[in-house]
Amino acid sequence: MEGVTGVYEPVQHHWFHCQNPVDCRSSWIPFSREDSLRLEETHKHGETSGEEEVEVVVATEGRRFDVRLKERKCFAVYWEQPPLEVRRCSWFHKGDKDISYTPYPEDTSLVLEEAYMMAVKLNDWMKKIQFPTGETVVLHSPTLMTQQQTIPLKDWISLPSEQSQPRMVKRGLEGIRVELPEGEPDQVDHLVFMVHGIGPTCDIQLRGVVQCVNDFRGASLNLLCSHFKQSQDGTHMGRVEFLPVDWHGVLHGDATGVDDDIQRITLPSISRLRQFSNSTVLDLFFYNSPTYCQTIIDTVASEINRLHQVFLQRHPQFTGEVSLAGHSLGSLILFDLLTNQERRNKDEEGSSVSSPSEATPLDFESFEDTLRNFGLGKYVQMLPKEQMDLESLGLCSETFFKDLGIPLGPCKKIMYLLKRWRGQESRTGTSHPVPGIPGIAGVYSQVQEHPTLLSGAPSTSPVDYKYFDVGIGQVSIVYPQLAFQPQAFFALGSPIGMFLTVRGLKRIDPKYSLPTCKSFYNIYHPFDPVAYRIEPMVVFPDVDLPPILIPHHKGRKRMHLELKDSLKRVSSDLLLSISTVRGVWQTLTMLPVNTLPPVARVGTTAALPPQESEGGRPVCKKCSGAPNGTVSPTEMRNISVGMLNGGRRFDYVLQEKPLESFNEYLFAIQSHLCYWDSKDTVLLLLREIYEGKGILL
């Protein structure tokens, strides 16, 4: 023992961060060994070089957080959240009812470490260290240390509480049970942006999109280690980064004021139910509004582009692809956004000319200069011929620009820039001439001097449900462009099929594919009340094509589903046996008949035998295929499912759990929220992502 030999060994420090900024007593989470070692080395380098007062930033947790050592604070990089407290920990304490050990503050740990060092060197134990806060730590031996709380005299009349009970004190991580998180590989192979659905919460635990994506990312790291271990050990794999995209906060923030407007007209009865409806269900109606649909689309696109830019700055060596994933309404938002992307070369991605953003100011003397600056100068001469001004352009739809011979891409840009130009004029109170129309600025300014009933309302395009040339219809607004071309789009629990049908679209052209996205996957739970299939909108209506069953992450079908399939096979075999016995019995009981068919009379036709196949067996058109009217596996390979996923299947169904199969209505809501913690879903995403890299399970 150290106390007997008198040999003192310095304690090994480990860095922790407080998960709950409000209450740090029982929410301290350790950094991974790699992150803690990086923080410790940086801290010691500052001590030896005398640069302790200089602020040093250390990236942790896959470079998603920055730790400022001088402030002892941890800041999120990609999303907004309060900074977390960080400690360099070496001493811990725990009560009888506490679940985990709580680290002492750093100054307290220094005092305890000095007392421990003196006790070891002098072999003098039973030392008491008192602190101004009232705690007393007793060093009984190198392995037994306790903390006692000094109780005021006036509190002695009360019953003994937990505060009066001694607390266990431990030195270093060796004496406590703490699970250190696994470190993340520095190499990022793929980037996925995840967009949430309606409401501020995403799962049954009422957690936000940041927490849900964190768990999704953690599950992917575990599955990469367990299912791709051989490839990972061969240094061919890194990890997949998942980043959350939050649009609900902007829609319901102070900028739009929609919550205040809704609250003024909300009835006072059943207040909690109405508040839940206002913050969740109304998002569906907001998306069908011309005003707030534009806000949602702009928020999602600008946030994705911002996150993508920040990611590239923090990962300059990244050479992988980018994918998108959306849950519920978030999948519909991404689908509408992707159907309005323009095909362009890789060199054009992220350029301001092809993709004007809200952050780019329109500092030009006229709208003509604006169009020329964004590469639309050749379409400027078309507007004066039609005697168009700003007011007239604002009333035009896409059909007008198409009639002028302007392609869809430049048409979208013109409408988008026009909206921003008019919005900038309304904020600055200035007006500029429209190309080729002299004197129109004075007329426009006179019109603006007279306030109307809708003064102050945002300028938006009218809602217009139309079919594009390929047959995909959606709300006609200005869709911004993404700074990259996604490799795949994963829709989780998606109502895309229902919305397309409600918009009047009966069938998707099999030749249609997303302009800039190669792959599309529609993933759903069989009991999800919000999810709808999409493959039936591509294949012929008389074809019953079942979805692809997603394998269980442990490598087999769930036992209750296998039992159900076995019962189906037994019942079908039993029915076949009964029909065979019945046919034999009818053959034995039939009366003798002539072996030769009767001679046909003149003008009549002999009885034709039943239609035979190549093998000589009769074929029934209605009975061909698999049981229950579905197609057989052989026929399934010959069915075209369109080009949404490059000619491959894209409807995938999860396997329900045994408990869920007892009552599908009881688990309906939970089924819609299960994707965030579904390992089967995570494994499917990883398999499809790495399959494109030539890495298989």
Side-chain angles (χ1 to χ4, degrees), residues 550-620:
I550 300 177
H552 192 262
H553 66 277
K554 292 186 178 180
R556 57 173 295 172
K557 186 183 291 186
R558 293 183 183 271
M559 186 172 297
H560 71 285
L561 295 179
E562 291 184 349
L563 180 60
K564 185 184 298 184
D565 294 342
S566 299
L567 292 177
K568 286 183 179 180
R569 287 194 297 268
V570 171
S571 60
S572 61
D573 294 343
L574 182 60
L575 292 177
L576 180 61
S577 301
I578 294 176
S579 61
T580 303
V581 172
R582 183 181 302 171
V584 173
W585 176 257
Q586 291 178 354
T587 303
L588 295 176
T589 57
M590 287 179 59
L591 295 175
V593 294
N594 295 329
T595 57
L596 295 177
V599 179
R601 298 180 181 178
V602 178
T604 64
T605 304
L608 297 177
Q611 182 181 0
E612 295 184 356
S613 63
E614 295 180 0
R617 296 182 180 179
V619 175
C620 176

Side-chain angles (χ1 to χ4, degrees), residues 373-656:
N373 181 74
F374 287 101
L376 303 171
K378 62 180 180 180
Y379 305 108
V380 173
Q381 303 301 326
M382 299 182 180
L383 302 180
K385 298 179 182 179
E386 303 295 331
Q387 298 183 358
M388 301 298 296
D389 55 12
L390 287 177
E391 193 71 23
S392 302
L393 285 174
L395 299 175
C396 293
S397 62
E398 295 176 8
T399 306
F400 167 77
F401 293 99
K402 289 182 179 180
D403 293 341
L404 291 180
I406 300 178
L408 180 61
C411 163
K412 291 285 188 180
K413 293 180 183 178
I414 294 175
M415 297 178 66
Y416 178 68
L417 292 172
L418 176 64
K419 175 197 170 186
R420 291 193 53 210
W421 181 268
R422 296 183 62 184
Q424 183 168 301
E425 283 188 343
S426 63
R427 291 191 298 269
T428 59
T430 58
S431 59
H432 300 279
V434 181
I437 309 296
I440 197 65
V443 177
Y444 184 73
S445 61
Q446 292 178 5
V447 173
Q448 294 295 324
E449 291 178 358
H450 301 282
T452 61
L453 180 63
L454 298 179
S455 61
S459 173
T460 58
S461 303
V463 176
D464 187 13
Y465 298 97
K466 295 182 178 180
Y467 300 134
F468 288 163
D469 295 336
V470 292
I472 302 294
Q474 61 241 77
V475 181
S476 177
I477 60 173
V478 179
Y479 288 90
Q481 300 296 303
L482 297 177
F484 56 89
Q485 296 185 9
Q487 173 182 320
F489 168 39
F490 301 93
L492 312 176
S494 173
I496 293 176
M498 181 270 291
F499 269 84
L500 293 180
T501 304
V502 171
R503 291 171 180 176
L505 187 67
K506 295 183 178 297
R507 190 168 184 265
I508 299 177
D509 193 333
K511 299 179 181 178
Y512 177 75
S513 63
L514 297 175
T516 60
C517 188
K518 304 176 182 178
S519 305
F520 171 70
Y521 302 89
N522 182 36
I523 305 170
Y524 62 92
H525 191 282
F527 303 155
D528 189 345
V530 180
Y532 289 83
R533 294 194 60 188
I534 303 179
E535 283 182 350
M537 301 185 67
V538 181
V539 300
F540 292 102
D542 56 346
V543 176
D544 186 10
L545 189 63
I548 298 179
L549 187 67
I550 300 177
H552 192 262
H553 66 277
K554 292 186 178 180
R556 57 173 295 172
K557 186 183 291 186
R558 293 183 183 271
M559 186 172 297
H560 71 285
L561 295 179
E562 291 184 349
L563 180 60
K564 185 184 298 184
D565 294 342
S566 299
L567 292 177
K568 286 183 179 180
R569 287 194 297 268
V570 171
S571 60
S572 61
D573 294 343
L574 182 60
L575 292 177
L576 180 61
S577 301
I578 294 176
S579 61
T580 303
V581 172
R582 183 181 302 171
V584 173
W585 176 257
Q586 291 178 354
T587 303
L588 295 176
T589 57
M590 287 179 59
L591 295 175
V593 294
N594 295 329
T595 57
L596 295 177
V599 179
R601 298 180 181 178
V602 178
T604 64
T605 304
L608 297 177
Q611 182 181 0
E612 295 184 356
S613 63
E614 295 180 0
R617 296 182 180 179
V619 175
C620 176
K621 294 183 179 180
K622 294 183 179 180
C623 300
S624 62
N628 301 327
T630 59
V631 296
S632 62
T634 304
E635 296 173 338
M636 197 179 301
R637 290 192 291 266
N638 299 326
I639 295 178
S640 174
V641 292
M643 298 303 297
L644 270 177
N645 195 24
R648 300 179 299 170
R649 301 285 305 279
F650 51 86
D651 273 355
Y652 288 81
V653 60
L654 292 168
Q655 302 180 36
E656 71 271 15

